[in-house]
Amino acid sequence: MRIRVLGSSAGGGFPQWNCNCANCTGVRQGTVIARARTQSSIAVSVDGVDWLLVNASPDILTQIRDNPELQPARAVRDSGIAAVLLMDAQIDHVTGLLMLRERQTPLPLLATPEVFSDISTGFPITGILSHYCGVAVHELGIDGRTADVPGLPGLQVQTVALSSKPPPYSPFRGNPRPGDNIGLLLQNPATGARVFYAPGLASVTPDLLDLMAGCSVVLVDGTFWTDDEMQRQGLSKKAALDMGHLPQSGPGGMIEQLDRLPPTVRKVLIHINNTNPMLVEDGPERALLTRHGIDVAHDGMDIEF
Ligand code: MLT
Ligand code: MN
Ligand code: ZN
């Protein structure tokens, strides 16, 4: 079973269109050693032909062009994207659904009832798509049961409810519900191997750490290096934790959490904000991660499990 990282950046991408932070300027001008990255999405496949798209990024058309595997061309209109699963209703994870409207059959869409409610009200994508291909709704519970993925025999998924907030346009912004934001366990039933994917993760509870310890790979929130990263650069009033993202550095941070996992678990950071200093490949932050055995995802990265 294979994961292809389509987009390893957080919302905004890297470089971000209007940002002149040190990283964005440096990557534009070629003065820092760093790779540009598109917005948050991965694809999962059993056979390398049919794929589950996990999150539909605003950059999806670029991502499909960059990953020809997603375009198998078996018919005059065709796609390797068999189904789409959403982790939350944030712009960086759902906007790409609108770009898939030319499908000739309803798009199989997996999400929690909470995410379906946000994308039919605050950001009414399913209503808009009903005038085009429409969606085939597959609700995901947060009861710990495994679910099959339509069109992808041999892959099983299990959701993990995470504490976070729905997006600013959600009618439930002020009253978060379990299911607004999920982590995902991808399971290979043939081998028992599991991957945990959580691009937005505000806290690592002991239960979650146990679950991660049983995985072969964890692909987790790499948004911010420090809690005040955006504030310090004058880019936002919000701290990382206010936005539902546990910073990597410092006491209780992601590095410390990942250090608790057994050495059998491959650790990869994903959903990286353009301000994050670990994007600089020859910088001290990247060297620290290497010493802790932690990888940084990039667009095009393949993970086998
Ligand atoms: C987030 O995960 O916090 C989002 O990427 C924010 C956004 O897209 O604006
Ligand atoms: Mn995001
Ligand atoms: Zn920037």
Side-chain angles (χ1 to χ4, degrees):
M1 198 160 298
R2 177 159 34 128
I3 294 176
R4 169 70 55 85
V5 175
L6 303 179
S8 52
S9 171
F14 177 48
Q16 182 176 310
W17 67 283
N18 64 344
C19 189
N20 297 306
C21 75
N23 282 348
C24 288
T25 303
V27 78
R28 250 183 236 116
Q29 297 182 349
T31 52
V32 301
I33 300 175
R35 300 188 192 208
R37 285 167 163 85
T38 62
Q39 294 169 84
S40 188
S41 178
I42 64 171
V44 190
S45 183
V46 181
D47 61 6
V49 180
D50 289 305
W51 298 79
L52 171 67
L53 185 73
V54 184
N55 298 318
S57 156
D59 297 318
I60 186 161
L61 298 183
T62 306
Q63 294 168 343
I64 292 170
R65 270 197 293 275
D66 289 347
N67 295 277
E69 293 89 337
L70 298 180
Q71 227 312 344
R74 295 162 290 194
V76 65
R77 286 274 168 95
D78 188 29
S79 170
I81 300 170
V84 182
L85 187 154
L86 306 172
M87 316 283 300
D88 56 45
Q90 295 272 2
I91 286 176
D92 59 341
H93 287 162
V94 304
T95 310
L97 292 174
L98 296 171
M99 269 66 247
L100 302 178
R101 67 189 177 282
E102 294 91 353
R103 261 184 77 96
Q104 293 184 311
T105 54
L107 176 67
L109 188 59
L110 292 80
T112 63
E114 292 75 21
V115 168
F116 273 117
S117 98
D118 281 350
I119 62 168
S120 62
T121 56
F123 189 7
I125 291 182
T126 51
I128 294 170
L129 281 179
S130 71
H131 298 277
Y132 300 89
C133 61
V135 302
V137 171
H138 297 264
E139 284 192 352
L140 293 172
I142 47 166
D143 49 14
R145 255 183 303 166
T146 54
D148 292 324
V149 178
L152 283 166
L155 170 65
Q156 288 181 325
V157 296
Q158 189 183 329
T159 64
V160 181
L162 302 175
S163 71
S164 192
K165 271 188 192 172
Y169 41 82
S170 165
F172 293 90
R173 174 72 164 179
N175 300 297
R177 303 159 293 176
D180 285 329
N181 179 280
I182 56 165
L184 191 66
L185 266 178
L186 298 160
Q187 314 194 30
N188 182 341
T191 63
R194 311 201 301 172
V195 173
F196 180 64
Y197 174 55
L201 188 55
S203 79
V204 182
T205 60
D207 281 355
L208 195 55
L209 204 64
D210 276 352
L211 182 145
M212 287 162 71
C215 291
S216 45
V217 186
V218 297
L219 204 52
V220 293
D221 193 329
T223 313
F224 298 112
W225 188 258
T226 49
D227 195 39
D228 63 352
E229 187 168 310
M230 297 281 278
Q231 296 159 322
R232 218 174 340 144
Q233 300 188 49
L235 298 174
S236 172
K237 291 194 167 58
K238 288 185 196 157
L241 284 165
D242 297 335
M243 292 185 254
H245 299 294
L246 178 69
Q248 283 89 59
S249 64
M254 190 64 84
I255 298 172
E256 206 172 88
Q257 303 296 340
L258 296 179
D259 277 347
R260 301 203 167 105
L261 296 175
T264 45
V265 183
R266 180 170 175 207
K267 302 153 206 157
V268 185
L269 295 170
I270 197 160
H271 188 277
I272 306 152
N273 200 59
N274 56 74
T275 48
N276 193 322
M278 75 182 184
L279 285 167
V280 181
E281 289 170 24
D282 58 349
E285 291 83 5
R286 185 66 74 92
L288 180 74
L289 291 175
T290 304
R291 287 201 295 281
H292 285 262
I294 300 171
D295 285 343
V296 178
H298 57 82
D299 294 13
M301 182 183 237
D302 270 325
I303 293 168
E304 303 274 348
F305 72 104

